[in-house]
Amino acid sequence: QLQLVESGGGSVQAGGSLRLSCAASGDTFSSYCMGWFRQAPGKEREGVATLNSDGAPTYVDSVKGRFTISKDNAKNTAYLQMNSLKPEDTAMYYCATREYWWCIPTRPHDMNYWGQGTQVTVSS
């Protein structure tokens, strides 16, 4: 049973940057796909980015070129570097993984393990 804990959220002005971390315990996710998802109040959960176990990333169009997903297998930690933040990026951000090498941001229900989320607020 994997446990995922996000950190690094906070409030930032538009155009600023944040780096989210996702620390895993109970198991390693080096052989699993992992991803970042977000949800704003009153809206459905949406995918942000995923990273296959072979290192291949996938981004949704709204964050492509601004966000970077990565992981450090030695630290059992995943990251989401967010640059050029916009007010529409404001949401609760969740880290997730599943026991398979492959996943995509548009299939959040494929994910088996979820963190509790970290809030990101971007002001104009």
Side-chain angles (χ1 to χ4, degrees), residues 42-53:
K43 296 185 178 180
E44 294 185 357
R45 180 177 54 193
E46 66 173 351
V48 177
T50 56
L51 186 65
N52 293 345
S53 65

Side-chain angles (χ1 to χ4, degrees), residues 10-69:
S11 297
V12 65
Q13 294 179 334
S17 298
L18 285 172
R19 184 179 185 242
L20 307 183
S21 297
C22 174
S25 62
D27 197 2
T28 62
F29 56 32
S30 61
S31 62
Y32 301 158
C33 180
M34 59 79 53
W36 289 93
F37 302 80
R38 65 188 182 186
Q39 187 169 21
K43 296 185 178 180
E44 294 185 357
R45 180 177 54 193
E46 66 173 351
V48 177
T50 56
L51 186 65
N52 293 345
S53 65
D54 64 2
T58 304
Y59 302 92
V60 295
D61 289 342
S62 61
V63 308
K64 192 173 297 182
R66 299 188 297 122
F67 292 8
T68 302
I69 188 170

Side-chain angles (χ1 to χ4, degrees), residues 5-121:
V5 179
E6 303 94 336
S7 62
S11 297
V12 65
Q13 294 179 334
S17 298
L18 285 172
R19 184 179 185 242
L20 307 183
S21 297
C22 174
S25 62
D27 197 2
T28 62
F29 56 32
S30 61
S31 62
Y32 301 158
C33 180
M34 59 79 53
W36 289 93
F37 302 80
R38 65 188 182 186
Q39 187 169 21
K43 296 185 178 180
E44 294 185 357
R45 180 177 54 193
E46 66 173 351
V48 177
T50 56
L51 186 65
N52 293 345
S53 65
D54 64 2
T58 304
Y59 302 92
V60 295
D61 289 342
S62 61
V63 308
K64 192 173 297 182
R66 299 188 297 122
F67 292 8
T68 302
I69 188 170
S70 64
K71 65 177 180 179
D72 185 334
N73 286 332
K75 297 181 179 179
N76 211 28
T77 301
Y79 306 95
L80 184 68
Q81 178 67 46
M82 304 185 294
N83 298 327
S84 301
L85 282 162
K86 304 174 181 179
E88 51 263 45
D89 295 319
T90 296
M92 184 73 74
Y93 282 70
Y94 299 91
C95 176
T97 189
R98 71 166 180 163
E99 296 173 322
Y100 192 64
W101 69 274
W102 174 91
C103 61
I104 53 175
T106 53
R107 296 183 61 88
H109 289 94
D110 286 348
M111 315 305 282
N112 300 126
Y113 304 97
W114 293 83
Q116 294 182 344
T118 185
Q119 179 67 39
V120 172
T121 302

